[in-house]
Amino acid sequence: MVLGDGGFRYLMEEGVYYSNAHYQHANTETIVGHVSLATGTVPAAHGMVANVWFDREQDRLVYNIEDSNYHLLTAGADVDRKTEIDPTQKAARVEGRSPNNILTSTLSDEMAIHFAGRSKIFAVSVKDRGAVSMAGHTGKAFWFSKASGAFVTSTYYYDRYPDWVSEWNGREPASSYAGKSWELMQPSSTYLFGGADDREYETDLAGFGKVFPHAYGESDDKYFTTKLTLSPAGDELTLDFAKTLLDEEQLGQDEVPDYLAISFSSNDYVGHLFGASSLEIEDNLARLDRTLADLFAYVDEKVGLANTLIVLSADHGQPEAPGYLQALGIDKAHYFDTDALDKTPAIAALKKQFGIGEELIKEYFHPYIYLNRDLIREKGLDQSLVEKAVAAELKKFNGVADAVSSTALRTASLPDTPLMRSILRNFHPNRSGDIFLVFEPDVFINDFDGLVVASTHGSPWRYDTFVPVIFAGAGLPAAKINRPVTPYDIASTLAAYLKIKPPSGATGTPLAEVFVE
Ligand SMILES: [Zn+2]
C-alpha cells in the first residue's frame, strides 16, 4: 500500500510529528480517549471512565453520553436494538444525548469563554460519542445514525436542524453506496497483506464477508448502514458532511478562531472486525489517507492551511488479533470469556465461604466488575474485605494480569507501578466499579452478546496507549520529535497557542515546538 501526497505524508513530513505519544490511563476506550483529548486530562478528573458504567443510583448500566433530557432531533434515529452490533452503543437505554456527564471543561469550552461565544465550534463523527465529546459543552455535535442513515443531533444543540443539514440529509448520500462493494484501492500486490486476505479469525458480519470485495448490500438490507460504518464509506460520508459544514457555517472566515473536530471512526471498526494487521486495515488507511488529503485541500482552498492549525491524534491504539500473533509463534495470545465469572469454581467457593447463595458479581462491563453491594451489606460483610477476596481469586485466572479493588485504590495501599498509576488515573469514586480487571498483554474479550470480533482495545498495554500526535499547518516548521509526550498535552498546547486559559482539569504540558513565540 502506498501513501499519496497531501494526506498522512503531509502531516508526517511537514508537520510537528510526535512519534512517542502514549495515554497514561488504563481503560483505552473510545469515550475515555476522546474526552481526554478534548479536556487535556485523565478520566479520574473528567469522569468518563468507560464507554459504559454501572450507575448505582439508577441501578443499571448507563451509556457514557446518554441523557433523557435531550432527545434526538430525528424521530426513530436512536439506537435500533435489533440491528445494533456495537456492544457499547447497544448499552444505551435512553433516547437522548448530551455532554453533561463530562465533568471538566474542554478546549472548545475555553474558546467559547475566552472569545465570548464568538468562536464557531463543531464536531462531527460517525459515532455519537466521537462527536459529543469533542464538541464539549459549548459546541455543536453531529453524528451518523445507523437507524436513519443520516447525520443527526439532539435538542441539547438545536431546536431544529440548520437548513443545510436537512438539505444534506435530504440528498441521502448514504444510499449512493447501495449495491456497491468496498474494493481494494490499489493493486493487491502493493499491499503488505495482499496475499493474506482470508483468515479464519476475521469477522464475517451478515454477508459483508472476510475477503474483498466486501458487499454493502442494497439499501433495505438490515445491516446496510452498519456496513458503511465498518468500511471507508463511514469516513467518506463524515468527510462530505464536514466539508459542507465548513462551508455553510463559514468556518475560518473572520479574526475569531473557530474549532472543527472530525473523528474518523472507520479505522476502529475495521480493526475490530479484521485485526490491526489485515488487508482491510491496510486498504482503509490508504483510503483514509485520500480522505485526509481531500479534507486538507478543501481547507486550503476555503481558509488556507497557513491560517489553520491541524492536529491529528487518536482515542486509542489497536491490538493485534490473537490468531495473527499465534501464526507468528506468540502462543499465549488468546481470548478471555467473562461470561459466568460469578459461577466459576473459584468464585463459587468464595461465595460459599461468605455464606452467599445469590449472585455476588452483579455486573461485568469492561473494565470493571461491580459487586452486589446490597447483598454484601445485608449479610453483614465488609465491602473492602469482599472486594479484596474476589480480586485475589480473579488474579489466579489464566490470562488475568491483575485485579485491583477500588478500596485499595482509595486507600492507596498499592505498589507504585506504571500499571497501578494508570488504573488510579482511571478511577472516579462514583463511576468506577469495585474491581478493575486487567488482562495480560494479547489477551482480551472478543465475544459480545454473540457478536464475535477479531480484536478489542481497552487495555493499559502499549499497543493500546500508543497514538500519533501531529500538529501541522499554520506555518509550523517541520519537526520529528521522539521525546515522550501524552495526548493530554494537546489541549494545553492549543490553549497556550491561543493564549487562553487551559481547560479546568487539564494536566498536560504545552508542547514547546508548537507554541513558541
Ligand atoms: Zn473500538
Side-chain angles (χ1 to χ4, degrees):
M1 180 266 281
V2 188
L3 292 176
D5 288 327
F8 283 117
R9 280 184 39 209
Y10 162 71
L11 297 173
M12 293 190 291
E13 290 168 10
E14 296 182 48
V16 181
Y17 176 17
Y18 296 91
S19 57
N20 191 11
H22 284 272
Y23 282 106
Q24 297 184 331
H25 57 256
N27 184 22
T28 46
E29 286 187 324
T30 314
I31 192 66
V32 190
H34 277 87
V35 175
S36 296
L37 288 171
T39 62
T41 190
V42 296
H46 64 60
M48 306 304 268
V49 297
N51 276 336
V52 174
W53 63 82
F54 189 82
D55 183 310
R56 294 192 183 277
E57 268 175 35
Q58 301 184 61
D59 197 39
R60 66 176 183 89
L61 290 170
V62 295
Y63 175 62
N64 53 79
I65 52 163
E66 69 177 39
D67 187 339
S68 56
N69 293 320
Y70 299 100
H71 63 82
L72 300 198
L73 266 189
T74 306
D78 199 20
V79 172
D80 180 351
R81 300 184 51 75
K82 292 191 294 298
T83 56
E84 182 57 65
I85 60 152
D86 180 335
T88 299
Q89 201 78 64
K90 210 172 179 174
R93 295 296 166 109
V94 165
E95 192 261 7
R97 301 286 183 269
S98 88
N100 281 339
N101 280 336
I102 303 172
L103 303 177
T104 58
S105 74
T106 59
L107 176 85
S108 58
D109 293 343
E110 296 302 331
M111 288 178 68
I113 294 165
H114 184 88
F115 297 106
R118 290 180 302 147
S119 282
K120 293 169 183 166
I121 297 165
F122 291 94
V124 183
S125 176
V126 150
K127 291 182 184 177
D128 53 8
R129 57 188 179 275
V132 170
S133 53
M134 299 306 293
H137 303 86
T138 53
K140 307 282 192 192
F142 294 101
W143 58 93
F144 184 69
S145 156
K146 284 178 271 194
S148 74
F151 274 83
V152 299
T153 189
S154 83
T155 58
Y156 179 86
Y157 306 100
Y158 290 98
D159 296 325
R160 60 179 291 269
Y161 283 108
D163 289 342
W164 70 263
V165 177
S166 302
E167 279 162 30
W168 192 93
N169 284 331
R171 289 206 309 273
E172 298 185 12
S175 65
S176 68
Y177 292 92
K180 293 190 179 148
S181 297
W182 172 18
E183 289 172 36
L184 283 180
M185 192 177 90
Q186 297 169 10
S188 89
S189 60
T190 65
Y191 293 81
L192 186 58
F193 296 102
D197 191 7
D198 191 8
R199 291 184 290 197
E200 58 88 16
Y201 56 80
E202 294 185 347
T203 312
D204 180 6
L205 181 97
F208 201 46
K210 295 181 181 184
V211 296
F212 282 90
H214 296 277
Y216 297 124
E218 296 302 330
S219 55
D220 59 355
D221 179 318
K222 196 172 155 192
Y223 291 103
F224 171 65
T225 52
T226 301
K227 290 172 191 169
L228 299 183
T229 67
L230 307 176
S231 75
D235 287 345
E236 289 161 14
L237 288 166
T238 305
L239 168 73
D240 194 69
F241 188 85
K243 281 163 70 177
T244 309
L245 187 159
L246 188 119
D247 204 26
E248 294 288 343
E249 297 289 344
Q250 294 281 297
L251 297 192
Q253 301 303 319
D254 61 22
E255 72 288 354
V256 181
D258 298 330
Y259 170 104
L260 173 62
I262 309 173
S263 182
F264 292 111
S265 302
S266 298
N267 188 63
D268 173 71
Y269 283 135
V270 174
H272 280 293
L273 255 59
F274 304 102
S277 293
S278 61
L279 184 58
E280 283 80 3
I281 273 289
E282 231 187 323
D283 190 71
N284 187 69
L285 277 174
R287 289 180 182 274
L288 179 57
D289 181 54
R290 292 303 82 210
T291 294
L292 291 178
D294 186 332
L295 173 66
F296 299 155
Y298 194 77
V299 169
D300 197 24
E301 179 197 325
K302 297 287 176 177
V303 185
L305 287 180
N307 307 313
T308 309
L309 181 59
I310 298 168
V311 187
L312 177 97
S313 193
D315 52 340
H316 51 72
Q318 195 165 65
E320 298 290 352
Y324 177 71
L325 297 175
Q326 285 163 6
L328 294 170
I330 303 171
D331 290 334
K332 71 173 282 290
H334 67 95
Y335 297 121
F336 189 94
D337 184 7
T338 53
D339 286 350
L341 267 183
D342 195 69
K343 295 184 180 62
T344 54
I347 300 298
L350 191 66
K351 280 164 63 176
K352 202 170 171 193
Q353 196 186 313
F354 282 127
I356 294 173
E358 301 89 332
E359 199 168 56
L360 175 61
I361 295 179
K362 195 178 170 90
E363 199 71 64
Y364 170 83
F365 209 105
H366 183 87
Y368 292 111
I369 284 170
Y370 301 83
L371 300 178
N372 189 336
R373 288 188 186 175
D374 292 341
L375 182 65
I376 292 168
R377 205 166 25 240
E378 277 164 29
K379 298 275 176 189
L381 297 166
D382 180 78
Q383 169 77 22
S384 64
L385 276 179
V386 178
E387 273 179 28
K388 280 181 190 163
V390 173
E393 286 305 321
L394 292 172
K395 273 186 220 183
K396 298 176 196 163
F397 283 40
N398 178 34
V400 171
D402 211 337
V404 182
S405 80
S406 288
T407 300
L409 290 170
R410 264 193 296 267
T411 55
S413 55
L414 291 163
D416 185 11
T417 63
L419 178 61
M420 289 304 163
R421 286 182 182 205
S422 74
I423 294 171
L424 198 53
R425 288 189 193 99
N426 215 94
F427 180 69
H428 187 278
N430 296 340
R431 294 181 182 173
S432 291
D434 296 307
I435 295 165
F436 193 118
L437 193 58
V438 187
F439 300 112
E440 285 171 6
D442 304 323
V443 175
F444 42 77
I445 306 161
N446 74 321
D447 186 344
F448 302 93
D449 266 346
L451 172 74
V452 179
V453 297
S455 82
T456 316
H457 53 84
S459 81
W461 307 118
R462 295 298 88 165
Y463 48 80
D464 277 345
T465 61
F466 189 32
V467 293
V469 171
I470 307 178
F471 294 76
L476 286 178
K480 190 156 184 200
I481 315 291
N482 296 316
R483 181 178 81 250
V485 301
T486 71
Y488 320 109
D489 296 334
I490 294 171
S492 295
T493 303
L494 293 174
Y497 185 87
L498 291 166
K499 300 187 174 65
I500 67 176
K501 71 180 189 305
S504 54
T507 52
T509 305
L511 299 169
E513 293 82 4
V514 176
F515 82 99
V516 282
E517 297 278 41

Coordinates of all heavy atoms in Angstrom, one line a residue, residues 324-379:
Y324 N -3.4 -13.9 14.5 CA -2.3 -13.4 13.8 C -1.0 -13.6 14.6 O 0.0 -14.0 14.0 CB -2.5 -11.9 13.5 CG -1.3 -11.2 12.8 CD1 -1.0 -11.5 11.5 CD2 -0.5 -10.3 13.5 CE1 0.0 -10.9 10.8 CE2 0.6 -9.7 12.8 CZ 0.8 -10.0 11.5 OH 1.9 -9.4 10.9
L325 N -1.0 -13.3 15.9 CA 0.1 -13.5 16.7 C 0.5 -15.0 16.8 O 1.7 -15.3 16.8 CB -0.1 -12.9 18.1 CG -0.4 -11.4 18.2 CD1 -0.7 -10.9 19.6 CD2 0.9 -10.6 17.7
Q326 N -0.5 -15.8 17.0 CA -0.2 -17.2 17.1 C 0.5 -17.8 15.9 O 1.4 -18.6 16.0 CB -1.5 -18.0 17.3 CG -2.1 -17.8 18.8 CD -3.5 -18.2 18.9 OE1 -4.1 -18.7 18.0 NE2 -4.1 -18.0 20.1
A327 N 0.0 -17.3 14.7 CA 0.7 -17.7 13.4 C 2.2 -17.3 13.4 O 3.0 -18.0 12.7 CB -0.1 -17.1 12.2
L328 N 2.5 -16.3 14.2 CA 3.9 -15.9 14.2 C 4.6 -16.5 15.4 O 5.8 -16.2 15.7 CB 4.0 -14.4 14.4 CG 3.5 -13.6 13.2 CD1 3.4 -12.1 13.5 CD2 4.4 -13.8 12.0
G329 N 4.0 -17.4 16.1 CA 4.6 -18.2 17.2 C 4.3 -17.6 18.6 O 4.9 -18.0 19.6
I330 N 3.5 -16.6 18.7 CA 3.2 -16.0 20.0 C 1.9 -16.7 20.5 O 0.8 -16.3 20.4 CB 3.0 -14.5 19.9 CG1 4.2 -13.8 19.3 CG2 2.7 -13.9 21.3 CD1 4.1 -12.4 19.0
D331 N 2.2 -17.9 21.2 CA 1.1 -18.8 21.5 C 0.2 -18.3 22.7 O -0.9 -18.7 22.8 CB 1.7 -20.2 21.9 CG 2.2 -20.8 20.6 OD1 1.8 -20.5 19.5 OD2 3.1 -21.7 20.8
K332 N 0.8 -17.4 23.5 CA 0.0 -17.1 24.7 C -1.2 -16.1 24.4 O -2.1 -15.9 25.2 CB 0.9 -16.4 25.8 CG 1.4 -15.0 25.4 CD 2.1 -14.4 26.5 CE 1.2 -13.8 27.6 NZ 0.4 -12.6 27.1
A333 N -1.2 -15.5 23.2 CA -2.3 -14.7 22.8 C -3.6 -15.5 22.8 O -3.7 -16.5 22.2 CB -2.0 -14.0 21.4
H334 N -4.6 -15.0 23.5 CA -5.9 -15.7 23.4 C -7.1 -14.8 23.9 O -6.8 -13.7 24.3 CB -5.9 -17.0 24.3 CG -5.7 -16.8 25.7 ND1 -6.8 -16.7 26.6 CD2 -4.7 -16.6 26.5 CE1 -6.4 -16.5 27.8 NE2 -5.1 -16.4 27.8
Y335 N -8.3 -15.3 23.7 CA -9.5 -14.6 24.1 C -9.9 -15.0 25.5 O -9.6 -16.2 25.9 CB -10.6 -14.9 23.1 CG -10.4 -14.4 21.7 CD1 -10.4 -15.3 20.7 CD2 -10.1 -13.0 21.5 CE1 -10.1 -14.8 19.4 CE2 -9.9 -12.6 20.2 CZ -9.9 -13.5 19.1 OH -9.7 -13.1 17.8
F336 N -10.5 -14.2 26.2 CA -10.9 -14.4 27.6 C -12.5 -14.4 27.7 O -13.1 -13.4 27.2 CB -10.3 -13.4 28.6 CG -10.5 -13.7 30.0 CD1 -9.5 -14.4 30.7 CD2 -11.7 -13.3 30.7 CE1 -9.7 -14.7 32.1 CE2 -11.8 -13.6 32.0 CZ -10.9 -14.3 32.7
D337 N -13.1 -15.3 28.4 CA -14.5 -15.4 28.5 C -15.0 -14.8 29.8 O -14.6 -15.4 30.9 CB -15.0 -16.8 28.3 CG -16.5 -16.9 28.3 OD1 -17.2 -15.8 28.3 OD2 -17.0 -18.0 28.3
T338 N -15.6 -13.7 29.8 CA -16.1 -13.1 31.1 C -17.5 -13.5 31.5 O -18.0 -13.1 32.5 CB -16.0 -11.5 31.1 OG1 -16.7 -11.1 29.9 CG2 -14.6 -11.1 31.0
D339 N -18.2 -14.2 30.6 CA -19.5 -14.7 30.9 C -19.4 -15.6 32.1 O -18.4 -16.4 32.2 CB -20.1 -15.5 29.7 CG -20.5 -14.5 28.6 OD1 -20.5 -13.3 28.9 OD2 -20.9 -15.0 27.5
A340 N -20.3 -15.6 33.0 CA -20.4 -16.6 34.1 C -19.2 -16.5 35.0 O -18.8 -17.5 35.6 CB -20.6 -18.0 33.5
L341 N -18.6 -15.3 35.1 CA -17.5 -15.2 36.1 C -18.0 -15.6 37.5 O -17.2 -16.2 38.3 CB -17.0 -13.7 36.2 CG -15.9 -13.3 35.3 CD1 -15.6 -11.8 35.6 CD2 -14.6 -14.1 35.5
D342 N -19.2 -15.2 37.8 CA -19.8 -15.5 39.1 C -19.9 -17.0 39.4 O -19.9 -17.4 40.5 CB -21.2 -14.8 39.2 CG -21.7 -14.7 40.6 OD1 -21.1 -13.9 41.4 OD2 -22.6 -15.4 41.0
K343 N -20.0 -17.8 38.3 CA -20.2 -19.2 38.5 C -19.0 -20.0 38.4 O -19.0 -21.3 38.5 CB -21.3 -19.7 37.5 CG -22.6 -19.1 37.7 CD -23.7 -19.7 36.8 CE -25.0 -19.0 37.0 NZ -25.1 -17.5 36.8
T344 N -17.8 -19.4 38.2 CA -16.6 -20.1 38.1 C -16.3 -20.8 39.5 O -16.7 -20.3 40.5 CB -15.4 -19.2 37.8 OG1 -15.4 -18.1 38.8 CG2 -15.5 -18.6 36.4
P345 N -15.7 -22.0 39.5 CA -15.4 -22.7 40.8 C -14.8 -21.8 41.8 O -15.2 -21.9 43.0 CB -14.5 -23.8 40.3 CG -14.8 -24.1 38.9 CD -15.1 -22.7 38.3
A346 N -13.8 -21.0 41.4 CA -13.1 -20.2 42.4 C -14.0 -19.2 43.1 O -14.0 -19.1 44.4 CB -12.0 -19.4 41.8
I347 N -14.9 -18.5 42.3 CA -15.8 -17.5 42.9 C -16.9 -18.2 43.7 O -17.3 -17.7 44.7 CB -16.3 -16.6 41.8 CG1 -15.2 -15.8 41.1 CG2 -17.3 -15.6 42.4 CD1 -14.3 -14.9 42.0
A348 N -17.4 -19.3 43.1 CA -18.4 -20.1 43.8 C -17.9 -20.5 45.2 O -18.7 -20.5 46.2 CB -18.8 -21.3 43.0
A349 N -16.7 -21.0 45.3 CA -16.1 -21.4 46.6 C -16.0 -20.2 47.5 O -16.3 -20.4 48.7 CB -14.7 -22.0 46.4
L350 N -15.6 -19.1 47.0 CA -15.5 -17.9 47.8 C -16.9 -17.5 48.4 O -17.0 -17.1 49.6 CB -14.9 -16.8 47.0 CG -14.5 -15.5 47.7 CD1 -13.3 -15.8 48.7 CD2 -14.1 -14.5 46.7
K351 N -17.9 -17.6 47.5 CA -19.3 -17.2 47.9 C -19.8 -18.1 49.1 O -20.4 -17.7 50.0 CB -20.2 -17.3 46.7 CG -20.1 -16.1 45.8 CD -20.7 -16.3 44.5 CE -22.2 -16.6 44.5 NZ -22.8 -16.7 43.2
K352 N -19.4 -19.4 48.9 CA -19.8 -20.4 49.9 C -19.2 -20.0 51.3 O -19.8 -20.0 52.3 CB -19.3 -21.8 49.5 CG -20.1 -22.9 50.1 CD -19.8 -24.2 49.5 CE -20.4 -25.4 50.3 NZ -19.8 -26.7 49.9
Q353 N -17.9 -19.6 51.2 CA -17.2 -19.2 52.4 C -17.8 -18.0 53.1 O -17.9 -17.9 54.3 CB -15.8 -18.9 51.9 CG -14.7 -18.8 53.0 CD -13.4 -18.3 52.3 OE1 -13.0 -18.7 51.3 NE2 -12.8 -17.3 53.0
F354 N -18.3 -17.1 52.3 CA -19.0 -15.9 52.8 C -20.5 -16.2 53.1 O -21.2 -15.3 53.6 CB -18.9 -14.7 51.8 CG -17.6 -14.0 51.7 CD1 -16.9 -13.9 50.5 CD2 -17.0 -13.5 52.9 CE1 -15.7 -13.2 50.5 CE2 -15.8 -12.9 52.8 CZ -15.2 -12.7 51.6
G355 N -21.0 -17.4 52.8 CA -22.4 -17.7 53.1 C -23.3 -17.0 52.1 O -24.4 -16.6 52.4
I356 N -22.8 -16.8 50.9 CA -23.6 -16.1 49.8 C -24.1 -17.1 48.8 O -23.3 -17.8 48.2 CB -22.8 -15.0 49.1 CG1 -22.4 -13.9 50.1 CG2 -23.6 -14.4 47.9 CD1 -21.5 -12.9 49.5
G357 N -25.5 -17.2 48.7 CA -26.0 -18.1 47.6 C -26.4 -17.3 46.4 O -26.4 -17.9 45.3
E358 N -26.7 -16.1 46.5 CA -27.1 -15.2 45.4 C -25.9 -14.8 44.5 O -24.7 -15.1 44.9 CB -27.9 -14.0 45.8 CG -29.1 -14.3 46.6 CD -28.8 -14.4 48.2 OE1 -27.7 -14.8 48.5 OE2 -29.7 -14.2 48.9
E359 N -26.2 -14.0 43.5 CA -25.1 -13.5 42.6 C -24.3 -12.4 43.3 O -24.8 -11.4 43.7 CB -25.8 -12.9 41.4 CG -24.9 -12.8 40.2 CD -25.7 -12.5 38.9 OE1 -26.4 -11.5 38.9 OE2 -25.5 -13.3 37.9
L360 N -23.0 -12.7 43.4 CA -22.1 -11.7 44.1 C -21.6 -10.7 43.0 O -21.5 -9.5 43.3 CB -21.0 -12.4 44.8 CG -19.9 -11.5 45.4 CD1 -20.5 -10.6 46.5 CD2 -18.8 -12.4 46.0
I361 N -21.2 -11.2 41.9 CA -20.7 -10.3 40.8 C -21.9 -9.9 40.0 O -22.5 -10.6 39.3 CB -19.7 -11.0 39.9 CG1 -18.4 -11.3 40.7 CG2 -19.4 -10.2 38.7 CD1 -17.3 -12.0 39.9
K362 N -22.4 -8.7 40.3 CA -23.6 -8.2 39.8 C -23.5 -7.9 38.3 O -24.4 -8.1 37.5 CB -23.9 -6.9 40.5 CG -25.4 -6.4 40.4 CD -25.5 -5.1 41.2 CE -26.8 -4.4 40.9 NZ -27.9 -4.8 41.8
E363 N -22.3 -7.3 37.9 CA -22.2 -6.9 36.5 C -20.7 -6.9 36.2 O -19.8 -6.5 37.0 CB -22.7 -5.5 36.4 CG -23.1 -5.0 35.0 CD -24.2 -5.7 34.4 OE1 -25.4 -5.6 34.9 OE2 -24.0 -6.4 33.4
Y364 N -20.4 -7.3 34.9 CA -19.0 -7.0 34.4 C -19.2 -6.2 33.2 O -19.9 -6.7 32.2 CB -18.2 -8.3 34.1 CG -17.0 -7.9 33.3 CD1 -15.8 -7.5 34.0 CD2 -16.9 -8.0 31.9 CE1 -14.7 -7.1 33.3 CE2 -15.8 -7.6 31.2 CZ -14.7 -7.2 31.9 OH -13.6 -6.8 31.2
F365 N -18.7 -5.0 33.1 CA -18.7 -4.3 31.8 C -17.3 -3.7 31.8 O -16.9 -2.9 32.7 CB -19.8 -3.2 31.7 CG -20.2 -3.0 30.3 CD1 -21.4 -3.5 29.8 CD2 -19.3 -2.3 29.4 CE1 -21.7 -3.3 28.5 CE2 -19.7 -2.1 28.1 CZ -20.9 -2.6 27.6
H366 N -16.6 -4.0 30.7 CA -15.2 -3.6 30.6 C -15.0 -2.2 31.1 O -15.7 -1.3 30.6 CB -14.7 -3.8 29.2 CG -13.3 -3.4 29.0 ND1 -12.3 -4.4 29.2 CD2 -12.6 -2.3 28.7 CE1 -11.1 -3.8 29.0 NE2 -11.3 -2.5 28.7
P367 N -14.0 -1.9 32.0 CA -13.0 -2.9 32.5 C -13.4 -3.3 34.0 O -12.5 -3.8 34.6 CB -11.7 -2.0 32.5 CG -12.2 -0.6 32.9 CD -13.6 -0.5 32.2
Y368 N -14.6 -2.9 34.4 CA -14.9 -3.0 35.8 C -15.8 -4.2 36.2 O -16.7 -4.5 35.4 CB -15.5 -1.7 36.4 CG -14.5 -0.5 36.4 CD1 -14.7 0.5 35.5 CD2 -13.5 -0.5 37.3 CE1 -13.9 1.6 35.6 CE2 -12.6 0.6 37.3 CZ -12.8 1.6 36.5 OH -12.0 2.7 36.5
I369 N -15.6 -4.7 37.4 CA -16.5 -5.7 38.0 C -17.3 -4.9 39.1 O -16.7 -4.2 39.9 CB -15.8 -6.8 38.6 CG1 -15.3 -7.8 37.4 CG2 -16.6 -7.6 39.6 CD1 -14.3 -8.8 37.9
Y370 N -18.6 -5.1 39.0 CA -19.5 -4.4 40.0 C -20.1 -5.5 40.9 O -20.7 -6.4 40.4 CB -20.6 -3.6 39.3 CG -20.1 -2.5 38.4 CD1 -19.7 -2.9 37.1 CD2 -19.9 -1.2 38.8 CE1 -19.2 -1.9 36.2 CE2 -19.4 -0.2 38.0 CZ -19.1 -0.6 36.7 OH -18.6 0.4 35.8
L371 N -19.8 -5.4 42.2 CA -20.3 -6.4 43.2 C -21.7 -6.0 43.6 O -22.1 -4.8 43.5 CB -19.3 -6.5 44.4 CG -17.9 -6.9 44.0 CD1 -17.0 -7.0 45.3 CD2 -17.8 -8.3 43.4
N372 N -22.4 -7.0 44.2 CA -23.7 -6.7 44.7 C -23.6 -6.1 46.1 O -23.5 -6.8 47.1 CB -24.5 -8.1 44.7 CG -25.9 -7.8 45.1 OD1 -26.3 -6.8 45.7 ND2 -26.8 -8.8 44.7
R373 N -23.5 -4.8 46.2 CA -23.2 -4.1 47.4 C -24.3 -4.3 48.4 O -24.1 -4.4 49.6 CB -22.9 -2.6 47.2 CG -21.6 -2.4 46.5 CD -21.4 -0.9 46.5 NE -20.2 -0.5 45.8 CZ -19.8 0.7 45.5 NH1 -20.5 1.7 45.9 NH2 -18.7 0.9 44.8
D374 N -25.6 -4.3 48.0 CA -26.7 -4.5 48.9 C -26.6 -5.8 49.6 O -26.8 -5.9 50.8 CB -28.0 -4.4 48.1 CG -28.3 -3.0 47.5 OD1 -27.6 -2.1 48.1 OD2 -29.1 -2.9 46.6
L375 N -26.3 -6.9 48.8 CA -26.2 -8.2 49.3 C -25.1 -8.3 50.4 O -25.2 -8.9 51.5 CB -25.9 -9.2 48.2 CG -25.8 -10.7 48.5 CD1 -27.1 -11.2 49.0 CD2 -25.4 -11.5 47.3
I376 N -23.9 -7.7 50.1 CA -22.8 -7.7 51.0 C -23.2 -7.0 52.3 O -22.9 -7.5 53.4 CB -21.6 -6.9 50.3 CG1 -21.1 -7.8 49.1 CG2 -20.5 -6.7 51.3 CD1 -20.1 -7.0 48.2
R377 N -23.9 -5.9 52.2 CA -24.4 -5.2 53.4 C -25.4 -6.1 54.2 O -25.3 -6.2 55.4 CB -25.1 -3.9 53.0 CG -25.0 -2.8 54.1 CD -25.3 -1.4 53.5 NE -26.1 -1.4 52.3 CZ -25.8 -0.9 51.2 NH1 -24.6 -0.3 51.0 NH2 -26.6 -0.9 50.1
E378 N -26.4 -6.6 53.5 CA -27.4 -7.5 54.1 C -26.8 -8.6 54.9 O -27.2 -9.0 56.0 CB -28.3 -8.1 53.1 CG -29.5 -7.2 52.6 CD -30.1 -7.7 51.3 OE1 -30.1 -8.9 51.1 OE2 -30.6 -6.9 50.5
K379 N -25.7 -9.2 54.3 CA -25.1 -10.3 55.0 C -24.1 -9.9 56.1 O -23.5 -10.7 56.8 CB -24.2 -11.1 54.0 CG -25.1 -11.7 52.9 CD -25.7 -13.1 53.3 CE -26.6 -13.6 52.1 NZ -27.3 -14.8 52.6

